[in-house]
Amino acid sequence: AEVSEGIERKTVIATGHGHDAVLMNIIRTPEGNTIQVADDVRAEIARLKADLPSDIQLLPFYDQSQIVRESESSVVEAIAVGSVLALFVVAMFLRNTRAAFVTLVMLPVTLLITFAALRLLHMTLNIMTLGAIAIALGLVIDDAIVVVEHIFLLLEDGHSRASAIRNGVKEITPAMVGSSFATIATFAPLLLLPGVTGGFFAPLALTMIATLVVSLGLSLTLVPVMAHAIFPHAIERAADRPRPLLERGYRWLAHWTLRLRIVAPVLLIPLAAGVLLLKDKLETGFMPEFDEGAFVLDYHMPAGTSLAETDRAMKLVEGILGENDAVETWSRLTGARSGSGLEVTALNQGDLLVKLKSGKRDPADDVMKDVRLKVSAAVPNLNIDLIPILGDLIGDLAGAPSPVEVKIFGPDVNKLKDLAHDIGQKVLSVKGTVDENDGITDSGPETMVEVDPVNAAINGLGTDSVAAAAESALDGDVPTSVKKGDLLEPVRVRYPFKLNRTLDELSDLPIANPTGQIVRLGSVANVFVDPGSPELDRENQRLMDSVTARLEKVDLGTAIKNLQKALKPMPLPPGYSIEYGGLYKSQQESFAALTSVLIAAAAAVFVVMVVSLRSFRIALALFLAAIFSLSGVVIALWATSTALNNSSYTGAIMIVGIVTENGILLFAEYRRRMAEATEISPLEALEAAGCSRLRPILMTTVAAIVALFPLALGIGAGAAMQRPLAIAVIGGLAFSTLFTMLLAPALYALMLGPSARLRRAETRES
């Protein structure tokens, strides 16, 4: 250690299994802040290698940046594959490679400008921001597709290139701006999410907003310029060109849906009921989990276990780890904790950081299960808790280290201890619960000296003098200190007794009275060993004990539901109560916050639609279509056995804005036709608008789905973090076309009533 002007710098080297070593540079400032420095680690390793024996190697033990880099690589691959698939969709629909080329150029330009915006916002590229770009990719392609397709439509209708670009951009701009702001309004409330959920998804929302703003600007500026450069001057129009089969099918379906519009809402009743029943069957969780290639094994032996015995037990655990083919190496702390600066704790506890091999191996969950079973068999009195590193970090940030936590409140310590044991057995009986801990921590055996005041007085000693003499003899005195550098080291003087004394040896401890007479401690005091008392916590001034457990092969919602059923018939004494905490409580709080965000986002989108389309009835019809599109989210999560967690819930919120984007384009075309045609009924205008916007809406929907498909597969490190969100968005989009193109027009026509069938000229005459 080096100390200079109050700044302490330490270089820590710890040899480990197989002569591996850990190097860590720590700087402690005068304010007590600890900084771990990694910039010069390689230089330190190179310098130290020259002074070490040839058979000693210095290697990095655990580098969290490795999983970050792998995660970024997986997301980048998903972006690349999704882009190629989406461009193929554009080329297939328009049957024109030039149009696909315009979309192709839009993607990298949008990404480069977005990266610059993130830099200005002091944001980093990480799993969440890159995932946001991957998710926004479909929306970026949507913006380019809408402009390109509308220009292409006018070219196909006989316009010249200049006229098609000028009129196309003019006609589509209001709808583009309105739909983009509707989507942005969906993401804005995500910036207000509190806690861990906000920490994860606020950067995602901000990145998506930045990407959408950039995409909108480029779609209305760069795309027309590129179209003018590479699109043909004109497209020869065939007079008897047949309508595509898809358009003819939609026209027939839309025709009967609009005329039998009362049937559509009736058919939605059983759909809504079925989706609500299906929602109750969904698995639920807090945050997505993925294989990080490492986990933590927290452990503690029974209270009072010596350091040597704890070390012996942990060597057995290390032997089990060494026999597992998936384990690469590990680092152990005994009598200390790594989470708060290596502070010293009880001798009977510590943790193991286990690093798994890269490449092909068993999943981390299976490795933890195997280690758990073998450790429990080899060291039955060892209490262990196996946690993925990110899960451990999220639990600490959320203030809920364990997924399952049953808090027991009551006035009596011993009664709480009995209840904790009984509830712990109930917790273990629930399928999927492991690493159960009753939460009772005994202080450990203590040697007690109980002074007999009568005998002490007979021997010329007072109670305080006996206690002081015993403490001085047992623990020693500190008469002075020695300066060591900038610190004062205390000098402790004590009797040369061995550390492990028997009670008889302690009773024979000599004490001198004021007259100089030597008195045995056992003659003036009762010396005995107290087994210790339980240590309990308080919450809101109430005495509390927490029974905790972790989960294996079961989702959080199912486990808690089964636990509540198991504890419901269990009677509690008067004055005692239980509450559920842990990650379950954090999940419920985050779901409540996300529900508030969903309501706020829906309200914001509704306002944007009213302002953009200048019609309350149109906005209401589109809003209902967007809400029913959420049924696709539920069905997709159920079909893929994906949990409803913070990630998938966020995807459901996004659907509200994404679906209304296509709806605004549809009804903007409807309003344009109603404004230009003199003799057309609302039903005819709705049908014509649907046929006109069918191709771009199908293109944008299919392109967005295929762009998200690689992310939904969850292949690669870190991709699992975005997988639930991608699946939720894909499910909503898959159903959105049906509801946007058929349900929304039918609901709007239903609101118009009988006047929907009348032509405008007939309406004026009547």
Side-chain angles (χ1 to χ4, degrees):
E2 301 173 2
V3 180
S4 176
E5 297 180 356
I7 299 178
E8 180 184 359
R9 177 191 173 102
K10 292 182 179 180
T11 301
V12 182
I13 304 173
T15 59
H17 178 73
H19 297 294
D20 290 343
V22 180
L23 175 65
M24 178 169 50
N25 289 307
I26 301 176
I27 293 178
R28 191 181 299 275
T29 64
E31 293 79 14
N33 298 322
T34 300
I35 307 170
Q36 295 188 12
V37 182
D39 294 341
D40 59 344
V41 168
R42 292 182 180 178
E44 290 285 343
I45 290 177
R47 182 183 63 80
L48 288 169
K49 278 184 176 180
D51 300 329
L52 292 174
S54 59
D55 61 338
I56 300 296
Q57 296 184 26
L58 292 179
L59 300 172
F61 170 68
Y62 180 70
D63 183 3
Q64 197 174 41
S65 66
Q66 181 179 354
I67 186 67
V68 174
R69 288 192 298 268
E70 292 175 357
S71 301
E72 290 178 351
S73 176
S74 299
V75 176
V76 169
E77 289 176 5
I79 292 175
V81 175
S83 301
V84 173
L85 292 175
L87 294 174
F88 176 76
V89 170
V90 176
M92 182 183 66
F93 269 91
L94 294 180
R95 298 180 182 179
N96 189 288
T97 56
R98 297 182 183 185
F101 179 76
V102 173
T103 308
L104 174 64
V105 174
M106 263 281 294
L107 291 177
V109 176
T110 302
L111 292 179
L112 288 174
I113 298 177
T114 301
F115 290 153
L118 294 180
R119 184 177 179 84
L120 292 175
L121 294 171
H122 304 289
M123 296 177 63
T124 62
L125 288 180
N126 51 53
I127 297 175
M128 299 309 295
T129 53
L130 280 173
I133 292 173
I135 294 164
L137 185 66
L139 303 181
V140 171
I141 294 173
D142 285 1
D143 290 343
I145 286 175
V146 169
V147 177
V148 168
E149 194 279 337
H150 200 65
I151 294 173
F152 227 81
L153 180 65
L154 295 181
L155 281 172
E156 291 175 336
D157 286 342
H159 288 256
S160 66
R161 180 177 63 188
S163 173
I165 294 173
R166 181 174 59 253
N167 294 331
V169 173
K170 181 180 178 181
E171 291 173 2
I172 205 66
T173 295
M176 287 282 294
V177 173
S179 61
S180 295
F181 273 97
T183 308
I184 290 172
T186 307
F187 298 128
L190 290 172
L191 300 174
L192 305 178
L193 280 173
V196 176
T197 307
F200 271 89
F201 293 101
L204 181 144
L206 189 57
T207 303
M208 293 199 71
I209 290 173
T211 307
L212 290 174
V213 171
V214 173
S215 173
L216 175 63
L218 291 178
S219 297
L220 298 177
T221 54
L222 178 62
V223 169
V225 171
M226 293 186 62
H228 189 273
I230 66 173
F231 276 19
H233 288 279
I235 295 179
E236 185 177 352
R237 182 184 181 188
D240 57 347
R241 181 182 62 186
R243 297 184 180 275
L245 178 62
L246 187 62
E247 182 180 334
R248 283 180 286 162
Y250 169 75
R251 182 181 291 276
W252 179 86
L253 192 59
H255 176 83
W256 287 107
T257 302
L258 289 170
R259 279 149 184 81
L260 302 175
R261 50 192 176 276
I262 190 62
V263 177
V266 175
L267 293 178
L268 291 177
I269 296 175
L271 173 64
V275 169
L276 289 176
L277 291 175
L278 201 61
K279 179 179 175 297
D280 293 335
K281 297 183 179 297
L282 289 180
E283 298 180 355
T284 61
F286 183 58
M287 294 291 289
E289 299 178 356
F290 65 96
D291 191 338
E292 307 162 63
F295 62 89
V296 178
L297 189 153
D298 287 331
Y299 64 88
H300 66 265
M301 293 285 284
T305 304
S306 66
L307 183 63
E309 177 60 20
T310 303
D311 181 61
R312 185 196 67 80
M314 294 316 299
K315 286 179 179 177
L316 295 176
V317 176
E318 289 181 345
I320 293 172
L321 292 174
E323 294 172 356
N324 194 301
D325 294 335
V327 174
E328 180 178 322
T329 186
W330 60 87
S331 172
R332 172 160 67 94
L333 289 171
T334 299
R337 287 188 183 275
S338 61
S340 305
L342 300 174
E343 78 273 15
V344 176
T345 59
L347 303 179
N348 64 324
Q349 64 185 49
D351 60 44
L352 272 159
L353 176 60
V354 182
K355 182 183 179 184
L356 304 180
K357 295 177 181 178
S358 57
K360 189 176 181 180
R361 56 166 171 79
D362 293 336
D365 287 343
D366 293 343
V367 176
M368 287 191 288
K369 180 179 179 180
D370 179 70
V371 170
R372 180 182 292 112
L373 292 174
K374 291 182 178 178
V375 169
S376 298
V379 194
N381 60 340
L382 179 67
N383 194 305
I384 60 174
D385 192 4
L386 283 78
I387 326 157
I389 291 181
L390 183 59
D392 188 29
L393 176 61
I394 291 175
D396 290 340
L397 291 174
S402 299
V404 178
E405 182 183 29
V406 182
K407 299 179 180 179
I408 316 166
F409 298 93
D412 183 72
V413 173
N414 293 323
K415 188 63 179 176
L416 282 177
K417 186 174 181 178
D418 295 337
L419 286 174
H421 177 73
D422 294 340
I423 291 177
Q425 296 303 309
K426 294 283 188 181
V427 170
L428 276 180
S429 67
V430 175
K431 183 180 179 181
T433 55
V434 293
D435 299 342
E436 183 271 334
N437 188 347
D438 290 354
I440 302 295
T441 303
D442 291 323
S443 59
E446 300 172 321
T447 301
M448 308 294 293
V449 178
E450 191 177 74
V451 180
D452 185 344
V454 176
N455 288 333
I458 293 174
N459 288 277
L461 295 169
T463 303
D464 293 340
S465 61
V466 173
E471 183 178 0
S472 177
L474 293 171
D475 295 333
D477 288 330
V478 183
T480 186
S481 300
V482 175
K483 188 174 182 181
K484 189 176 181 180
D486 291 347
L487 302 175
L488 291 177
E489 291 286 348
V491 177
R492 183 172 295 275
V493 181
R494 58 183 297 276
Y495 284 122
F497 285 126
K498 62 180 181 180
L499 294 178
N500 298 323
R501 311 178 189 90
T502 65
L503 292 181
D504 291 338
E505 290 174 331
L506 291 176
S507 298
D508 290 337
L509 182 71
I511 300 176
N513 64 13
T515 63
Q517 181 182 2
I518 301 299
V519 180
R520 287 178 62 254
L521 177 61
S523 63
V524 295
N526 180 24
V527 182
F528 62 96
V529 176
D530 186 276
S533 57
E535 300 175 3
L536 295 176
D537 296 325
R538 289 183 180 271
E539 185 177 279
N540 297 327
Q541 302 301 317
R542 295 183 298 170
L543 199 63
M544 179 197 74
D545 179 49
S546 297
V547 178
T548 60
R550 296 205 168 269
L551 302 177
E552 182 180 81
K553 305 296 184 182
V554 66
D555 66 286
L556 180 61
T558 301
I560 295 297
K561 188 181 297 183
N562 293 336
L563 177 59
Q564 290 172 338
K565 290 180 180 178
L567 293 180
K568 187 175 181 180
M570 181 177 176
L572 292 174
Y576 291 82
S577 62
I578 62 173
E579 295 178 7
Y580 295 91
L583 284 183
Y584 173 73
K585 182 179 180 182
S586 299
Q587 179 212 54
Q588 296 302 301
E589 291 174 349
S590 66
F591 277 14
L594 286 168
T595 301
S596 300
V597 167
L598 176 60
I599 295 172
V605 168
F606 187 80
V607 171
V608 170
M609 288 192 296
V610 171
V611 173
S612 176
L613 297 171
R614 300 186 299 279
S615 171
F616 180 84
R617 286 183 288 193
I618 292 177
L620 181 58
L622 282 177
F623 179 77
L624 292 174
I627 296 301
F628 277 106
S629 295
L630 293 177
S631 60
V633 175
V634 176
I635 294 173
L637 294 177
W638 173 78
T640 58
S641 300
T642 303
L644 177 63
N645 50 37
N646 288 337
S647 180
S648 51
Y649 206 136
T650 303
I653 294 173
M654 293 179 181
I655 282 297
V656 176
I658 295 173
V659 170
T660 54
E661 184 172 349
N662 288 334
I664 289 175
L665 293 173
L666 171 66
F667 278 93
E669 177 68 14
Y670 160 76
R671 292 185 63 85
R672 187 184 69 81
R673 289 180 179 271
M674 288 294 291
E676 292 178 355
T678 57
E679 295 185 1
I680 188 172
S681 71
L683 291 186
E684 293 170 338
L686 286 170
E687 185 178 320
C691 292
S692 175
R693 305 314 300 165
L694 177 64
R695 184 171 67 175
I697 288 177
L698 280 178
M699 285 173 62
T700 55
T701 301
V702 175
I705 288 175
V706 298
L708 287 173
F709 188 72
L711 207 61
L713 294 177
I715 299 175
M721 182 65 71
Q722 307 294 349
R723 181 175 179 270
L725 191 150
I727 289 175
V729 174
I730 288 176
L733 286 174
F735 280 73
S736 68
T737 303
L738 176 67
F739 293 126
T740 301
M741 299 297 291
L742 295 175
L743 176 63
L747 291 175
Y748 175 64
L750 193 62
M751 296 178 197
L752 291 177
S755 61
R757 292 181 176 272
L758 297 177
R759 296 178 181 271
R760 294 181 61 192
E762 295 173 349
T763 304
R764 287 195 298 269
E765 291 173 2
S766 61

